Amino acid sequence: MSIDSQSDTDLLEILPDKLAVLVKQSIPKHVAIIMDGNGRWAQAQGKPRVVGHKAGVKAVRRAVSSARSLGVESLTLFAFSSENWRRPDKEVSLLMSLFFTVLTREIKLLDKNGVRLNIIGDTSRFSTRLQKQIVTAQEQTAGNKDLVLNIAANYGGRWDIMQAAKKLAVKVESGLMSSEEVTEEALNEQLCMHGQAEVDLMIRTGGDYRISNFVLWQAAYAELVFTEMLWPDFDEDAFKDAIVKFSSRQRRFGLTGTQIDTISAL
Ligand code: IPE
Ligand code: IPE
Ligand code: MG
């Protein structure tokens, strides 16, 4: 049967429910942000890069509040990539201590606002003190339901896929599953943000057009929004602008525009 002779009901029958919902979605369930440009923001004012990172924390607060008020379910923020260890030691250690301070200082407010904190990434490379603080913060907010805030720290999209593959390999090796059972779903279940919606919208500030090894698998069909704005300047209006861009896009998921129009009208 050709697409053109497909009736509306035929179309709905061949589509998984999940896809029909995704097509009609105007507010993204999951927003992921590459918070870039802190260093340049500070340097433009003749200040050390760390000043930009500190100003970036304020922008994080604003993004969390925007996501909550717009009804976003998950917000994933790229705070430190697996490649950021290549930076000068001094900047890395400043970032680590800032991470510890922010985690300690902000947790009460996050908890009060119903935010569940989830750190994604290989935390084993962090100091014992920081690792303990991460566990405490996650436990304290574990029951919260308003927003999931995933902080990607020592995170890499390739690392995430690799660690999921390794878990499956261990299962196969120990006879708990067969290699035929290694499916997309099975791998998906082992990824860091399993159980949350896939990334609908990925934003990058700072004027570069790349993904820098951020969420790869989960952003396979994300809408991408790039802005010249440097992260410390990112505010509620900028967040709303990105959402408006998202809702004006036609997400096709491999279908034709005509099929999408039909689904949207149903
Ligand atoms: C993003 O800002 C924050 C981190 C990577 C930790 P940058 O520090 O990359 O800022 P620019 O890109 O150098 O301006
Ligand atoms: C991406 O920014 C990582 C974070 C925002 C934490 P980078 O500044 O590290 O990215 P590249 O190196 O310019 O690609
Ligand atoms: Mg950068």
Side-chain angles (χ1 to χ4, degrees), residues 2 6-7 14 22 33 56-57 74 81 83-84 88 93 101 105 125 170 174 196 204 206 234 236 240 255 259 262-263:
S2 82
Q6 227 170 28
S7 75
I14 59 159
L22 280 174
I33 311 183
V57 175
S74 296
S81 76
E83 289 74 34
N84 287 146
S93 64
T101 311
R105 197 181 61 201
R125 197 165 161 187
V170 169
S174 61
Q196 299 180 43
R204 182 180 187 130
F234 196 82
E236 287 85 355
K240 277 188 201 144
L255 280 76
Q259 286 178 301
T262 309
I263 298 162

Side-chain angles (χ1 to χ4, degrees), residues 34-36 78-81 84 87 204 208 210 212:
I34 302 173
M35 312 185 288
D36 199 20
F78 207 5
F80 191 87
S81 76
N84 287 146
R87 294 192 177 196
R204 182 180 187 130
D208 284 306
R210 56 176 173 261
S212 302

Side-chain angles (χ1 to χ4, degrees), residues 47-264:
K47 292 178 181 157
R49 293 174 57 87
V50 67
V51 173
H53 295 314
K54 286 184 180 161
V57 175
K58 290 187 187 141
V60 166
R61 251 183 243 135
R62 292 194 295 264
V64 170
S65 140
S66 302
R68 276 186 72 239
S69 60
L70 288 162
V72 168
E73 290 175 7
S74 296
L75 177 67
T76 301
L77 302 177
F78 207 5
F80 191 87
S81 76
S82 37
E83 289 74 34
N84 287 146
W85 296 105
R86 298 173 184 156
R87 294 192 177 196
D89 290 350
K90 201 172 152 221
E91 179 161 346
V92 170
S93 64
L94 277 167
L95 282 166
M96 290 300 139
S97 65
L98 186 62
F99 188 27
F100 182 84
T101 311
V102 172
L103 212 51
T104 315
R105 197 181 61 201
E106 302 288 320
I107 200 65
K108 261 197 189 144
L109 189 63
L110 290 174
D111 193 27
K112 195 171 143 242
N113 288 331
V115 178
R116 174 159 77 83
L117 190 70
N118 183 36
I119 309 297
I120 58 167
D122 181 5
T123 54
S124 66
R125 197 165 161 187
F126 295 147
S127 70
T128 319
R129 191 172 85 122
L130 183 51
Q131 288 187 48
K132 274 192 188 149
Q133 193 59 28
I134 287 172
V135 173
T136 309
Q138 288 184 151
E139 281 174 356
Q140 197 175 331
T141 60
N144 294 341
K145 303 251 183 293
D146 289 357
L147 174 77
V148 182
L149 176 61
N150 303 296
I151 300 289
N154 193 18
Y155 178 88
R158 288 180 178 170
W159 167 84
D160 197 0
I161 297 168
M162 181 278 297
Q163 65 81 29
K166 207 177 246 177
K167 283 183 189 154
L168 292 183
V170 169
K171 284 189 182 195
V172 172
E173 208 172 39
S174 61
L176 281 170
M177 70 189 287
S178 70
S179 58
E180 284 72 37
E181 288 170 312
V182 177
T183 56
E184 283 193 17
E185 287 72 28
L187 196 130
N188 197 30
E189 274 176 29
Q190 304 300 332
L191 289 170
C192 278
M193 296 185 284
H194 169 62
Q196 299 180 43
E198 288 203 2
V199 175
D200 299 301
L201 168 64
M202 188 193 279
I203 304 169
R204 182 180 187 130
T205 62
D208 284 306
Y209 298 83
R210 56 176 173 261
I211 296 176
S212 302
N213 196 18
F214 194 26
V215 280
L216 299 177
W217 179 286
Q218 302 91 331
Y221 255 108
E223 290 301 320
L224 307 177
V225 169
F226 296 96
T227 165
E228 295 294 314
M229 191 178 269
L230 303 173
W231 177 250
D233 293 325
F234 196 82
D235 58 9
E236 287 85 355
D237 286 342
F239 199 106
K240 277 188 201 144
D241 281 353
I243 303 281
V244 169
K245 283 203 175 91
F246 170 84
S247 56
S248 69
R249 304 246 179 105
Q250 187 187 52
R251 302 179 81 193
R252 287 192 285 277
F253 302 101
L255 280 76
T256 68
T258 314
Q259 286 178 301
I260 297 295
D261 287 341
T262 309
I263 298 162
S264 307

